[in-house]
Structures are given as structure tokens and as C-alpha cells.
Amino acid sequence: MNNSLSSNIAIENVIQSKTRGRVTYQGAVSSQIAVNFAYSKLYNDPSGKGYQRPISKKRCADFANYLSQGESSLYTPILLNASGNWEFQAYDRSRPSFGRLICRNKATLMDGQHRLGGIKQYIEETGTTLNVPFLAFHYFDEDEEIRLFDVINTKAKGIGTSLSRYLNRESDDLSWVATNLILKPVSPFFTKGTLIGIRSKERNITLQNLYNIVYLLTKKCDLAKLSKEKKLNLTLF
């Protein structure tokens, strides 16, 4: 694992605060800095100190594609452990929590490796610069870092594909059709479908199930070119 920087990095307009007694830094850096000021501790690193799964090229590519959608492509801060190697310098005494952050070594990336991988791919392909928000803890030892990584990646639960389809119904035709198969009283799935993917005795067909049906019905044929309203009518028929 290479955690050294060729030279110190200064990050401006950083807010220093505390989270349950831990010193944290919040700010943003250019994408060109972001892809170089942190590294992932992969589980198979020869040092024996790694713990993260290998980076998925597909997930990075998916995020790069998401970024290509423009200003609507928002994303959350990456989470870092500065391991005591970053120094905060307040601009003046009247505002001791606002200032400059001097990065002397790379931080470890606890959450956001695929976001950062996608950002790297996107800026290489487009030659653009993004603003990347971050939250960095001043110091975690290795056991604390692994423990927080474990909590983040095992306790959190994704929203599920059905709810994701519902949230994207206005921008994706097939999601809109599948949603209306549940919402319209004329549909045979009106009292049998669940929008959020949680089945019950009465509602045992998920929105994702219906999405798959509509996808199979319309893929690789002229139906794919129809409006979403016509797709819905044909599916109901």
C-alpha cells in the first residue's frame, strides 16, 4: 500500500468539528486531487493490514455513466481516515473552526471507493473537473477503522430494486409502466402488487417482478419504440 504523497496538499475552506469526541474535517477538493489524496486498503495487500474487497470496474463504470447525466448527478461525501497525518490551520482566532487543511500523507478511504473510481474514469474520459466533498476523521487506529468500515457496509440496507424503480418512474418508461400496473384499478395487479418490494399474503407481486415482465415483453422488438402510455395499454391487454 502506497500512502505517501509526492508533496503536501493544501485544502482551503475546511470546517473542523467534533463527532462524539472525534475531530473531523469537512470540505471539498477538485477531482484531480481527490483521486490522489486517498487510497483503499485492499484485503489481499501484502502488508496484511488490508480489509476492503477488490474494486469493481463495473461499479466504477456505472458511476461514471451516472455522472455523465449532468448537474442532476449528485453524490454524497467520501469518508476518510487521515490517520493523524493531516494538520488543520485556522485562518484567524475569531473563527477557530474554519481554515486550511495540510495533507502530508494519503488518507485511507473507508467509504466511497467506487464513487472515487467512477469519478476518476469520468474525468479521464471527459477532461472535466468535479468538486468532490469529503468527511475525514483526524485519527482512527487500524482496529477502529475496520470496525467503522464493517458497520457502514453490513448494517446499512439498500432501498431495494422495487423502490428504486418507483423512484425513477418519471425518467424511465418501463418503471412508469410497471408502477401503473400496480396503481391503476383496471390492472389485475392493483390489489396484488407492492411498490416497495415487501411482500405480504395479499400483495405478493413486487414492482421489480412487473418491471421484468414489461422488459421481456418489449425488448428487441418494435414495441420498444412505442410511447409509455401505449406500452402500458398493450401490457394490460
Side-chain angles (χ1 to χ4, degrees):
M1 291 182 291
N2 180 18
N3 66 340
S4 61
L5 289 167
S6 57
S7 60
N8 292 345
I9 294 174
I11 304 174
E12 305 294 342
N13 303 318
V14 173
I15 297 173
Q16 178 183 252
S17 59
K18 283 190 176 183
T19 301
R20 295 208 160 188
R22 301 286 186 152
V23 174
T24 60
Y25 308 120
Q26 298 178 64
V29 294
S30 72
S31 46
Q32 282 70 14
I33 291 177
V35 298
N36 290 307
F37 80 154
Y39 70 103
S40 298
K41 290 182 176 178
L42 299 183
Y43 79 98
N44 57 351
D45 191 87
S47 69
K49 297 180 180 179
Y51 57 87
Q52 296 192 29
R53 58 193 167 187
I55 296 174
S56 165
K57 292 183 179 179
K58 181 182 183 304
R59 290 184 64 186
C60 292
D62 287 345
F63 193 74
N65 182 59
Y66 168 72
L67 292 174
S68 68
Q69 296 173 20
E71 294 183 357
S72 63
S73 308
L74 303 177
Y75 45 95
T76 55
I78 57 175
L79 185 64
L80 308 167
N81 175 21
S83 303
N85 294 315
W86 291 7
E87 177 188 347
F88 181 77
Q89 300 174 350
Y91 290 136
D92 58 65
R93 293 181 181 178
S94 64
R95 294 193 296 171
S97 61
F98 185 62
R100 176 183 298 111
L101 194 58
I102 304 299
C103 310
R104 306 190 189 284
N105 279 313
K106 290 184 180 181
T108 53
L109 186 59
M110 293 189 290
D111 183 52
Q113 64 174 352
H114 292 107
R115 267 169 284 156
L116 211 51
I119 288 170
K120 182 178 182 181
Q121 180 176 327
Y122 176 76
I123 64 175
E124 288 176 350
E125 291 175 350
T126 62
T128 56
T129 297
L130 299 175
N131 213 30
V132 181
F134 69 86
L135 172 63
F137 284 89
H138 175 71
Y139 179 80
F140 275 147
D141 64 29
E142 289 179 350
D143 290 339
E144 291 172 320
E145 182 180 316
I146 292 173
R147 192 156 51 243
L148 181 56
F149 173 83
D150 182 52
V151 167
I152 291 170
N153 289 281
T154 61
K155 304 302 181 185
K157 186 176 181 180
I159 63 172
T161 52
S162 287
L163 183 54
S164 177
R165 298 298 183 196
Y166 178 71
L167 296 176
N168 288 286
R169 64 193 184 281
E170 297 302 330
S171 58
D172 177 68
D173 282 2
L174 298 189
S175 295
W176 182 88
V177 173
T179 297
N180 277 280
L181 288 175
I182 291 177
L183 295 180
K184 283 189 172 294
V186 295
S187 170
F189 306 107
F190 177 60
T191 58
K192 298 181 176 66
T194 166
L195 293 172
I196 59 176
I198 299 177
R199 290 184 172 92
S200 65
K201 186 177 180 180
E202 295 77 20
R203 296 181 177 272
N204 54 17
I205 300 171
T206 69
L207 180 57
Q208 181 63 36
N209 293 151
L210 296 176
Y211 178 93
N212 291 340
I213 289 173
V214 180
Y215 172 75
L216 291 172
L217 180 66
T218 59
K219 77 168 187 175
K220 296 181 180 179
C221 69
D222 291 339
L223 297 182
K225 302 175 184 178
L226 297 177
S227 68
K228 61 185 181 182
E229 291 82 8
K230 288 185 178 180
K231 287 176 184 173
L232 174 60
N233 289 333
L234 283 169
T235 305
L236 285 170
F237 175 76

